[in-house]
Amino acid sequence: MKNTVKNNTRLKKSLVNASLLLTLTGSLFISPVSLAQSTGVLGLYQTSSQMSHSNINTLEKTAHQSGCAIRREGSVLGAQGNYDLDSINGFFLLECEKPVMNGRFKEDIFAQLKKQVNHLKLMEGDINQFGQFGLAQAAGKRSYLLKVSDYNNQTPIKRERDLALLGKQKQTLNNHYNVEAFLKVNDAAGMARPDEVVVIYYDSPQQAEQFRAGNPEFMEKIGQFNQDHISQFSYLQVLSHR
C-alpha cells in the first residue's frame, strides 16, 4: 500500500500529461491493419510483489483451460481519475475465444485468483487489435497507458466529429502514440461498468516525453475533448512483462 502511494505521488505530474492522450475512442485510433475481433478481459488488482508471480501462474492455468491467453500483464505504476480503484498495483489483459464472465458461457476462471489478491476488478467485452500482430507481439521496451472511460453521450455526433479531427492531426505529429487494442466493455465486476478501455503505447518512455513536450496545442485540444465528452475516467501507467 505504501509503495503504491509513493509511486502515485512520484508519477502524478507525468500522469496528468499522459491522461490527456487517453481520451479518445477506438474509432480514432484504427490503424491500416485491424485483426479479427475476439473477447478481451482487463483485470486490475492489488497484491504484494511477493505474490505476483504466483498470481499470474494461477491465472495462466485456468485461463488456458477456458480458451484464453494472457497477452499483457504486469505492474500498475500509477493511476489517476475518478473510478474507485482501491490502490491497485497489478493488471492483466486476456484474449479469449468467447465471453467468460456471464451468460451461457459463464466460467469462473478467476476463482483461485480472487483468493490470492485484493480488490479484483474485471472488464469484459469485444476487443479489436491493431497493427500487424496486435497483442500477439511482445511488449518489449514499449511505454504503455490504459484508458478506462465512460462517456456522457450529451453530443454524440459532435464527439465523433471531434474524434475524426483529432485523429487526422495526431497522424501528422512526430513521436505520436499507437493504439494496440480497443475494448468495448459489455460487462464488469468489482467496479461500475465503463464504456471502453483503450490500450496505447509509445515505442519507449523517451518517445512519450518527446511527444508531450513537443505538442502543447494538441494536448490542450485533448483536454477540451475531456471536458466536453467524458463523465468518468481513470488513466493507468503500466509496465507489461510480456
Side-chain angles (χ1 to χ4, degrees):
M1 178 75 73
K2 292 182 179 179
N3 288 338
T4 301
V5 173
K6 183 178 180 180
N7 284 337
N8 285 347
T9 301
R10 185 174 65 250
L11 291 165
K12 183 177 181 180
K13 183 176 180 180
S14 63
L15 279 170
V16 167
N17 292 331
S19 68
L20 295 179
L21 305 180
L22 290 171
T23 58
L24 311 182
T25 63
S27 60
L28 172 61
F29 293 133
I30 294 176
S31 58
V33 180
S34 179
L35 303 183
Q37 191 177 80
S38 51
T39 295
V41 182
L42 174 65
L44 305 173
Y45 60 91
Q46 182 193 83
T47 187
S48 66
S49 58
Q50 292 80 8
M51 292 176 60
S52 59
H53 186 68
S54 175
N55 296 342
I56 296 303
N57 284 344
T58 297
L59 178 62
E60 193 139 39
K61 292 177 182 178
T62 57
H64 181 73
Q65 294 169 358
S66 300
C68 300
I70 299 177
R71 296 304 191 189
R72 297 285 178 259
E73 58 86 9
S75 304
V76 176
L77 304 177
Q80 180 190 28
N82 49 18
Y83 278 100
D84 183 7
L85 298 180
D86 298 304
S87 300
I88 58 165
N89 56 13
F91 86 101
F92 58 83
L93 180 61
L94 303 182
E95 182 183 7
C96 303
E97 297 174 354
K98 62 186 180 183
V100 295
M101 286 178 58
N102 273 316
R104 64 190 182 95
F105 296 121
K106 182 174 176 60
E107 299 174 36
D108 195 355
I109 65 175
F110 310 104
Q112 291 300 314
L113 184 65
K114 290 175 182 176
K115 299 176 183 178
Q116 295 179 301
V117 304
N118 299 316
H119 307 301
L120 180 63
K121 304 177 189 305
L122 302 169
M123 290 153 271
E124 180 186 76
D126 297 334
I127 190 168
N128 285 298
Q129 303 173 50
F130 307 110
Q132 186 174 2
F133 301 108
L135 293 168
Q137 183 169 343
K141 296 182 180 180
R142 290 174 175 175
S143 176
Y144 276 92
L145 294 167
L146 306 178
K147 177 203 73 174
V148 180
S149 64
D150 197 42
Y151 284 84
N152 58 35
N153 295 315
Q154 293 177 354
T155 55
I157 295 176
K158 183 177 185 298
R159 184 181 74 202
E160 294 304 313
R161 185 168 62 246
D162 291 347
L163 285 171
L165 290 173
L166 288 168
K168 289 180 181 178
Q169 183 176 354
K170 187 265 292 187
Q171 291 299 121
T172 68
L173 303 176
N174 293 328
N175 302 308
H176 64 74
Y177 49 87
N178 296 283
V179 171
E180 187 168 72
F182 167 71
L183 176 65
K184 182 179 180 181
V185 183
N186 300 319
D187 196 10
M191 64 179 294
R193 182 182 66 81
D195 284 330
E196 66 182 22
V197 175
V198 179
V199 182
I200 74 170
Y201 70 87
Y202 297 89
D203 289 332
S204 68
Q206 293 76 21
Q207 183 186 26
E209 290 297 329
Q210 290 169 359
F211 182 81
R212 291 193 291 267
N215 300 286
E217 292 182 1
F218 184 76
M219 303 284 282
E220 289 180 7
K221 291 180 181 180
I222 299 296
Q224 187 61 53
F225 184 94
N226 268 343
Q227 276 191 328
D228 292 345
H229 302 297
I230 291 182
S231 61
Q232 191 172 14
F233 61 87
S234 282
Y235 305 101
L236 297 93
Q237 184 173 1
V238 302
L239 173 64
S240 182
H241 301 317
R242 67 174 77 189

